[in-house]
Amino acid sequence: MRVLLVEDDDRVAHALVPALVKRGLAVRRLAAGREVLDLVGEVDVILLDLGLPDIDGMTLCRQIRAVSDVAVIVVSARGEVDDRIQALQAGADDYLVKPYDVGELVARVHAVRRRSADKGAVGEPVEFAGVRVDVGRHEVTVDGKPVGLSRKEFQVLAMVMAARGEVVRREQVLSEVWGRNGAAENRSLDVHVATLRTKLGRPDLVETVRGVGYRLAGRPE
């Protein structure tokens, strides 16, 4: 697996790179953010520090997500809940606070990569109430017009549409899309669902089943 480490602290990088290589990962390291967008197509996972010398890490995360679905794990000393939420909303797939165990980091690398591969499984497009989700093309249209969604918004909608009116439990969404079920992720899920309803122009399409999860407001043909 190809990993891009974006870390400006030489001491951290010099300790981490050999540890990751020892565990079978191919690692390239950048000490700043300016070259990252040129390399997103050449790697499977990006480990992104937020405190970069040339660009704010949150900004860079949004830029990465705008051009690629590559898996991104934020690895930062910032441990506040608001920082985690902001990173997840910026498009990060996971968030790990320094200091951390290298074994846990490697496990998370494999987990986000596995989820990315799973999302690549192609099924038949699903359409309901004028909303059409084509997972193979990673495309959403409303009444035939394309709608731009973030990666997580797309994944949440795809899960709900694929369930065809059955309830999708919050725990399942959090596990498959966020990879964990903490307070930050729960709040982020609520934000993503609210934004998704607005972008689709269908506020009643995705129903909240209080205390359980989400479902379509009807069943596709």
Side-chain angles (χ1 to χ4, degrees), residues 33 77 171 211:
E171 293 84 355

Side-chain angles (χ1 to χ4, degrees), residues 71-85:
V72 178
I73 301 177
V74 170
V75 183
S76 173
R78 304 182 197 174
E80 298 298 323
V81 172
D82 286 346
D83 292 316
R84 294 170 182 259
I85 292 174

Side-chain angles (χ1 to χ4, degrees), residues 13-214:
H14 291 164
L16 184 56
V17 170
L20 295 178
V21 171
K22 184 178 180 180
R23 287 165 172 80
L25 304 178
V27 184
R28 178 168 180 175
R29 182 251 177 148
L30 293 177
R34 59 183 174 273
E35 297 180 41
V36 170
L37 295 182
D38 295 328
L39 298 176
V40 293
E42 302 176 16
V43 298
D44 301 304
V45 179
I46 296 176
L47 302 180
L48 178 63
D49 184 31
L50 296 180
L52 301 175
D54 58 343
I55 186 172
D56 176 71
M58 297 291 189
T59 300
L60 179 57
C61 187
R62 285 191 288 270
Q63 292 177 351
I64 293 170
R65 192 53 68 228
V67 300
S68 174
D69 283 338
V70 65
V72 178
I73 301 177
V74 170
V75 183
S76 173
R78 304 182 197 174
E80 298 298 323
V81 172
D82 286 346
D83 292 316
R84 294 170 182 259
I85 292 174
Q86 187 177 352
L88 293 171
Q89 291 177 339
D93 297 278
D94 203 349
Y95 194 111
L96 190 59
V97 179
K98 299 177 183 178
Y100 51 81
D101 179 80
V102 174
E104 180 182 1
L105 174 61
V106 172
R108 291 184 183 225
V109 166
H110 284 289
V112 298
R113 177 57 179 159
R114 183 169 58 251
R115 291 198 300 273
S116 296
D118 290 344
K119 296 302 180 294
V122 177
E124 290 295 321
V126 180
E127 185 168 356
F128 177 71
V131 178
R132 186 175 191 270
V133 177
D134 188 332
V135 174
R137 295 172 60 88
H138 204 277
E139 181 179 77
V140 175
T141 58
V142 176
D143 296 332
K145 298 179 181 179
V147 176
L149 301 180
S150 73
R151 182 181 181 180
K152 283 185 170 59
E153 289 163 357
F154 180 89
Q155 291 174 357
V156 171
L157 178 62
M159 289 182 68
V160 174
M161 293 284 282
R164 296 179 178 274
E166 299 296 324
V167 176
V168 181
R169 299 185 67 85
R170 286 183 68 93
E171 293 84 355
Q172 180 185 354
V173 178
L174 290 165
S175 175
E176 294 191 19
V177 179
W178 274 266
R180 56 192 298 169
N181 185 0
E185 290 75 27
N186 271 275
R187 289 171 58 187
S188 182
L189 172 56
D190 292 336
V191 171
H192 277 70
V193 170
T195 305
L196 180 61
R197 289 166 173 157
T198 299
K199 287 185 176 181
L200 294 175
R202 299 285 195 277
D204 299 323
L205 178 73
V206 178
E207 292 183 338
T208 298
V209 181
R210 190 173 299 278
V212 182
Y214 302 96

